[in-house]
Amino acid sequence: MRVSTVLAIYILIVEVCNVPVSSTTFLLLPMGANNKSKRSATRELLLRSASQVVIDKGIEALTLDAVAQQAGVSKGGLLYHFPSKDALMQGMVEQLIQDFETALQAEYNKDDAPGTPGQWVRAYIRASLQISEQTLALIARLSSIAANSPQLFESAHAYQQQWQQRIETDGLNPIQATLILLAIDGLWLSEMFHIGAPEEPLRTQVLEALFAMTRVTTK
């Protein structure tokens, strides 16, 4: 969720440094920060509501009126943030990317072997395993329009290239690292479409093998 720079710094200090929130803390923020935060909250509400419409009723049910009703805001309020359906869908794709990026960074920061080869690859595996069934359903429905609206997924392609670059420079053999990436992507895609997804205990054994490969540093 986008907030002002000052508010973002404040949140970072509170969360990372465990600073207690006093009744006067927010008085230090600029007068416009609260309004920006409200606008950002409304934007996120609209994106979550749009996602819910698609999950519940399918991509064909996604209309500006349906999203406004789901979010409980006026259509004019929706148009302020998203002037078109394409802009709304673009926002949904970007929200999915940001959610994954947040999970990816969190997993990277709490790796059990920080600073060692494979740290980023392990984070990618764990973040991929956190993708919920609802999110998988949303991705599946959005992907159904990929052929007709490729511009909606340009940001996803850009992030994928960044992730690929980070994986290839993670201290592992780049070929091995890419194989791991393709394997974990294939796993969640098979589970998303319910086609050929491995069952237990094979699924756990596959994941254990992928994690083991991230500990191998032979070039």
Side-chain angles (χ1 to χ4, degrees), residues 5-15 20-22 25-26 29:
T5 302
V6 175
L7 184 58
I9 294 173
Y10 166 76
I11 293 173
L12 182 63
I13 293 174
V14 170
E15 293 183 348
V21 180
S22 70
T25 302
F26 284 101
L29 297 174

Side-chain angles (χ1 to χ4, degrees), residues 86 89-90 93 145-157:
D86 282 349
M89 289 193 292
Q90 180 69 55
V93 172
I145 62 172
N148 296 327
S149 304
Q151 71 281 0
L152 294 177
F153 300 90
E154 289 178 356
S155 56
H157 294 319

